[in-house]
Amino acid sequence: MFAERWIYDFIIYLYAFSILFSFADLLHRNRRSEKISYLFLGIVWLIQTAVFILVVLNWWPKQLPFWIDAFFIYSWILVSFTLVMHLVYRMPVYYFLANLMGFVVLVLNLFFVRHQSAAFEYLLLTELVFIHVTIAMMSYAAFSLACISGGLYLVSNHLLKEKKWNRLLRILPSLDRLESFSVWSVVAGAVFLLISVLLGIIYGYQTVGNRLWLDPKLWGTFWVMILYGWIIWQWTRTRLTGRRLAWWSSLSFLSILLNYFITRTGVSFHQWF
């Protein structure tokens, strides 16, 4: 317990410093602040990756228990996406918001009950379930980035319409780039979610049989897939672009949050996530 708490506390402190320096860079462009922020986030990723690999391969010391759950996986994937996207595109606002979202997820993970029975830990690390959960977290991370892109698009579009040529507008990415990020993040998230659902159904039939269809979490996930699939379909027909696409990319993330709250209820056998 102490080891787990110490590692989480250390990661959170590093994450907090990364956010601090990224915010400083956002307020006043400074390459040094940007590099320090990126360095701290890189260390967070290295620690998470090392712990992740050691626990999955069962090389983590037995006397130092550490629980890998969906929140941890989601945070690790979001940090990975944030590091890669900032390295390639260098968008300070996008980097700061993605960094902040990852930090919130990690803090939530610290305060939620994570200590489950050995049976649950074995279940999560079972090969098929592990792949199912990881790919699902990849889809949620992609939808999170689409939500951020959509929100930034709406802010930038409003500033341009109002002709407010302030510093915020200057540091925001172009509308075309934000729209492109938003739609392709939605596409990636939809593909990952479809794969995850298929793997989950296969495993569900092996364990609970037809009772699988009584789980409201599954139907909630179908609704998320239909919603994001509709966004993609409308985009391909050029009926959903610009501000409309941004609104749908941002607000659709609420469906994922709602689906998560369904998971936390006792009526779903996904509650161990």
Side-chain angles (χ1 to χ4, degrees):
M1 173 64 181
F2 173 76
E4 180 185 17
R5 183 66 182 242
W6 181 86
I7 293 172
Y8 262 99
D9 288 348
F10 184 61
I11 292 175
I12 286 175
Y13 289 141
L14 290 174
Y15 223 139
F17 278 114
S18 176
I19 292 174
L20 174 64
F21 282 100
S22 67
F23 186 65
D25 177 53
L26 195 61
L27 293 178
H28 182 71
R29 288 294 287 153
N30 186 309
R31 289 285 293 168
R32 180 174 294 182
S33 296
E34 180 187 9
K35 288 181 179 179
I36 293 175
S37 172
Y38 197 80
L39 174 64
F40 277 125
L41 192 61
I43 296 174
V44 168
W45 182 84
L46 287 174
I47 295 174
Q48 286 182 310
T49 303
V51 172
F52 190 63
I53 292 174
L54 290 174
V55 173
V56 169
L57 296 180
N58 204 26
W59 292 346
W60 188 261
K62 297 294 185 182
Q63 65 272 23
L64 302 176
F66 194 93
W67 172 250
I68 295 292
D69 58 8
F71 268 124
F72 187 90
I73 297 173
Y74 177 81
S75 173
W76 175 71
I77 292 172
L78 199 54
V79 171
S80 304
F81 283 7
T82 303
L83 287 171
V84 172
M85 293 186 69
H86 185 66
L87 182 64
V88 175
Y89 297 104
R90 295 194 180 278
M91 298 185 295
V93 179
Y94 200 91
Y95 171 73
F96 170 73
L97 292 177
N99 212 358
L100 185 62
M101 180 176 287
F103 178 76
V104 170
V105 170
L106 200 61
V107 170
L108 288 174
N109 191 26
L110 180 64
F111 291 103
F112 272 112
V113 177
R114 298 185 308 281
H115 301 286
Q116 306 288 347
S117 67
F120 277 135
E121 184 171 359
Y122 174 78
L123 177 62
L124 184 59
L125 297 181
T126 300
E127 185 175 357
L128 186 57
V129 178
F130 174 74
I131 297 173
H132 163 66
V133 173
T134 303
I135 295 179
M137 293 304 105
M138 290 174 66
S139 74
Y140 295 156
F143 290 144
S144 301
L145 297 178
C147 177
I148 294 174
S149 298
L152 292 179
Y153 184 100
L154 294 172
V155 172
S156 182
N157 182 259
H158 173 73
L159 293 175
L160 286 171
K161 280 191 171 183
E162 297 294 325
K163 298 183 179 179
K164 296 181 178 180
W165 313 105
N166 51 29
R167 187 175 182 278
L168 176 59
L169 182 61
R170 289 196 297 271
I171 63 176
L172 285 171
S174 67
L175 293 179
D176 287 343
R177 174 170 286 189
L178 287 171
E179 181 174 347
S180 177
F181 272 137
S182 181
V183 71
W184 289 113
S185 295
V186 168
V187 171
V191 172
F192 288 143
L193 187 58
L194 176 61
I195 295 172
S196 175
V197 168
L198 292 176
L199 293 176
I201 289 176
I202 292 172
Y203 184 81
Y205 264 115
Q206 293 176 347
T207 54
V208 298
N210 289 330
R211 288 196 297 122
L212 168 74
W213 302 106
L214 300 177
D215 187 2
K217 173 66 164 57
L218 178 61
W219 294 103
T221 303
F222 282 148
W223 164 247
V224 172
M225 292 175 58
I226 291 172
L227 180 57
Y228 280 101
W230 180 84
I231 292 175
I232 296 171
W233 179 62
Q234 290 293 321
W235 173 72
T236 58
R237 296 167 62 89
T238 65
R239 293 179 179 177
L240 206 61
T241 58
R243 291 181 69 254
R244 292 187 63 203
L245 176 63
W247 274 113
W248 277 100
S249 298
S250 301
L251 295 178
S252 295
F253 193 71
L254 295 175
S255 65
I256 295 176
L257 297 179
L258 178 61
N259 206 27
Y260 167 74
F261 286 120
I262 293 176
T263 306
R264 304 299 298 181
T265 64
V267 297
S268 171
F269 55 72
H270 279 81
Q271 57 184 309
W272 55 273
F273 274 68

